[in-house]
Every structure is written in structure tokens, then in C-alpha cells.
Amino acid sequence: PGATAIVDRGMAFDENLKQIQKRGMHYLVAGLQPERNQWLDELENDDGWEDLVRTPSPRNPFQKKSRVQIKRQQKGDVVYILCRSEGREEKDRAIRETHEAKLIRDLTKLQQRVAKGALKKQDKIHQAIGRLMERYPRVARYYQIAYDSEQQKLSWKELADKKAIAEKLDGSYILKTDRQDLTADEIWRTYILLTRV
């Protein structure tokens, strides 16, 4: 096959992948976060996973590698590698919990401003809510935020089912490629070269 372009999630949009293919190259990318959702059942299903054997760096023989499991799937001519990483699970959870605490803190401040009458105009209040949702996109979608103009009261509630999905996805990510000739192990090891670059 021709050359393979390996790009991270920030470049993984369809138009970019089409450009790569137009130039006669293959692609190997990390899938966008929403793409994980379509694989939720497979990510939760414990069948068909293989453990990656990861050896410590020769320069650091005491290095402890986190456990990574992979599972190969296919849709049309695209090969998907589902990945579950223990080390990344802790990191994802920590980031999510930090963002969530900040969102609740900022919502509480906004609620107090509304209650004191420091912020009265409905459109300004909705703009402030919109800014918070933009600032914390990772966690804001797990909350229903509402402003009652009659009672001039801001409130929110956690969407437990959506948050449960997020918790299940901690530590998981998707790789995708149009290379049919590589094993799941080869795809993962090739992608992870980006961290060395």
C-alpha cells in the first residue's frame, strides 16, 4: 500500500481524511469523542478483547506500563480498533471530575447573581448559561440547566443516565483506518508512535 498518514483526534474530521485519500495515501487516526458512543455496547461487552503486551523502555527497565486492551471491528471499508486503557481511565475520570466541580461552582455563582438581582435580563442570563456550556463541554451535557423567568430562579439537575455513559467511557478511545492489511496490534502500535514523535 501507499504511505499512511497518522494524525491525532484534532485532525480526524471526514474532510481531512478525504484529502488524505485523494492524495493516494491511507489514514490512521484517533476517532472523535462522539464516535465512541456508537461503540458503547462493544466497549462494555467483555468478549473479544486482546491484551497488548507492552515492554518497558530499554532505558527505563522499571517503567510500569498500564494495561491496554484492544478489539478489532469493521464498518464498510473502515477498520475500527476499540481501546480500553487503565492508565487513561484514571486521567479521564480526574479531568471529568475537575470540570464538573468547576461547572457546579460557576453555576452556583450565576445562581447567586440571579437571586440577588445582579443579573436580571433573561437574554443575558441565557448567554451566561451558554458561555458555561461552551467552557465545560465535556460535562455540561450531563446537566439540564434551566432559568424560570417568572420566579427569576436558575436551577440545574444532573442527567444520571447520560453521566453513567460518560463514566463507562472513561479510559476508552477509538482508532480508525482504511488499512485492511494490518492486525489490531499493528494498528495500535503504529498509532502510538505519535507519542514518540
Side-chain angles (χ1 to χ4, degrees), residues 55-192:
T55 51
S57 160
R59 277 187 249 144
N60 185 0
F62 301 107
Q63 181 182 46
K64 191 179 179 306
K65 294 283 190 181
S66 59
R67 183 178 183 211
V68 175
Q69 295 180 303
I70 55 175
K71 187 193 291 195
R72 184 188 177 107
Q73 299 288 310
Q74 185 136 356
K75 265 192 189 171
D77 59 357
V78 181
V79 175
Y80 291 87
I81 305 301
L82 314 188
C83 309
R84 299 197 299 202
S85 164
E86 280 179 3
R88 190 176 165 134
E89 188 175 342
E90 291 160 24
K91 181 182 166 190
D92 283 356
R93 185 180 304 120
I95 291 169
R96 184 170 40 75
E97 288 174 355
T98 300
H99 284 218
E100 193 169 10
K102 287 179 178 177
L103 172 65
I104 298 299
R105 181 200 65 201
D106 288 356
L107 278 170
T108 304
K109 282 183 191 170
L110 181 58
Q111 186 182 50
Q112 289 166 351
R113 285 176 64 204
V114 170
K116 287 177 188 165
L119 196 58
K120 290 181 179 173
K121 287 188 178 172
Q122 192 168 332
D123 62 331
K124 295 284 184 200
I125 293 167
H126 284 293
Q127 282 174 10
I129 292 169
R131 276 196 298 276
L132 289 181
M133 294 186 83
E134 282 174 19
R135 191 178 304 154
Y136 306 110
R138 185 185 275 253
V139 291
R141 60 181 179 267
Y142 311 130
Y143 286 86
Q144 187 174 355
I145 304 165
Y147 172 64
D148 183 333
S149 54
E150 283 181 26
Q151 294 183 24
Q152 296 185 339
K153 190 176 165 203
L154 179 75
S155 62
W156 59 90
K157 75 171 190 186
E158 184 181 282
L159 303 171
D161 52 341
K162 283 193 173 185
K163 190 174 173 185
I165 290 172
E167 288 168 352
K168 283 179 184 156
L169 289 175
D170 283 348
S172 67
Y173 56 99
I174 308 291
L175 302 179
K176 65 179 186 175
T177 183
D178 60 348
R179 291 275 305 264
Q180 311 288 326
D181 59 318
L182 299 175
T183 65
D185 189 287
E186 287 169 332
I187 291 168
W188 186 87
R189 289 182 197 282
T190 304
Y191 180 79
I192 221 68

